[in-house]
Amino acid sequence: MKAQCNQQKSLYRQILGRDWDRLPGSIRVLHEKSEGHAIFRGRAVVERGGSVWARLVASVLGFPGASPDVPVEIHFACRNGREVWTRRFGAKVLRSAQHRIERPNEQWLAEEFGPFRILCALEPTENRLYLSVRAWSFLGLPLPLVLAPGGRTFEEDRDGLFHFHVEVESPLTGMIVRYRGWLRPADEPTSSHTAAPEAETANDFDGRGALIDD
């Protein structure tokens, strides 16, 4: 399986084409290693929406519970031309499958969470890679874009370390979940520079318990 996957360019490289070279090193490393089998570990801050509907949607889709500091592990595997992302937030598992969708003059990333499929454009900007929702569907049936899950979602390089920021919200529910943190390859030797990201994650909440946004 690994040899078969590594015969092709990584999924994100295929979608981005020439824009791939604009990505910072830590983002390229993560997506290059995801083509095959790889594990990344780090820590995250998780915030959940407060409305009844937001909590219900978050539970149905399997999003992690709120936490000011939780260990994260992501396992990447290539199966049948798709990247399968298995995310672990503590004991909670969130799994999705990603693949490429071609559109006239553009290529999108398709990510499937159970019966839902989200189509996103990949947009490199300075030290970030933004994922912007362009369409979505349920069991193959297109849904109104105005009701699509939105919010800022991006990957970022901070001093050579991969960071992620994911927001899921809807006009019908408000914020459903927001999580952000950092990752590094599981086989990367532990060194003194890793202490700072852990402290940073723990300090992402202010004194009132609210998430500090950037």
Side-chain angles (χ1 to χ4, degrees):
M1 178 68 72
K2 182 174 181 179
Q4 178 183 355
C5 294
N6 285 336
Q7 290 175 358
Q8 303 177 0
K9 293 180 180 179
S10 67
L11 175 61
Y12 281 57
R13 182 192 283 267
Q14 292 179 48
I15 295 172
L16 286 167
R18 294 180 179 179
D19 285 337
W20 170 262
D21 293 329
R22 296 174 54 192
L23 296 179
S26 66
I27 298 179
R28 291 200 310 267
V29 166
L30 182 134
H31 292 297
E32 282 286 317
K33 288 197 173 188
S34 70
E35 187 63 19
H37 294 271
I39 297 175
F40 280 68
R41 295 192 178 104
R43 305 197 74 84
V45 180
V46 183
E47 185 183 24
R48 289 275 289 264
S51 73
V52 173
W53 287 109
R55 294 198 300 269
L56 177 62
V57 171
S59 296
V60 169
L61 295 180
F63 287 119
S67 174
D69 184 15
V70 63
V72 180
E73 178 177 291
I74 299 185
H75 177 264
F76 302 96
C78 181
R79 299 174 183 172
N80 301 322
R82 298 185 175 196
E83 284 188 5
V84 177
W85 291 40
T86 302
R87 308 164 179 86
R88 297 182 184 275
F89 295 82
K92 188 69 174 180
V93 176
L94 177 63
R95 183 176 291 108
S96 68
Q98 300 184 358
H99 59 99
R100 180 177 57 163
I101 292 290
E102 295 190 17
R103 289 290 186 267
N105 302 318
E106 192 171 13
Q107 300 199 53
W108 292 344
L109 176 73
E111 184 160 20
E112 297 173 356
F113 292 91
F116 289 94
R117 184 172 74 166
I118 313 294
L119 303 183
C120 295
L122 303 182
E123 302 173 337
T125 304
E126 296 181 350
N127 65 327
R128 291 180 174 179
L129 174 64
Y130 283 90
L131 285 76
S132 301
V133 176
R134 292 290 185 262
W136 71 313
S137 61
F138 177 76
L139 294 175
L141 300 175
L143 298 174
L145 182 59
V146 67
L147 299 179
R152 291 193 309 158
T153 296
F154 59 85
E155 300 170 350
E156 182 179 29
D157 179 279
R158 296 187 191 175
D159 298 323
L161 186 64
F162 178 92
H163 281 70
F164 57 88
H165 182 117
V166 177
E167 296 177 357
V168 182
E169 59 185 33
S170 165
L172 299 178
T173 64
M175 189 191 73
I176 298 171
V177 68
R178 177 189 295 140
Y179 55 89
R180 64 183 182 177
W182 59 271
L183 294 166
R184 66 168 182 264
D187 58 1
E188 179 180 296
T190 302
S191 62
S192 58
H193 81 274
T194 61
E198 294 185 16
E200 175 185 288
T201 301
N203 291 330
D204 273 342
F205 285 91
D206 64 17
R208 298 166 297 172
L211 187 67
I212 300 172
D213 202 3
D214 29 83

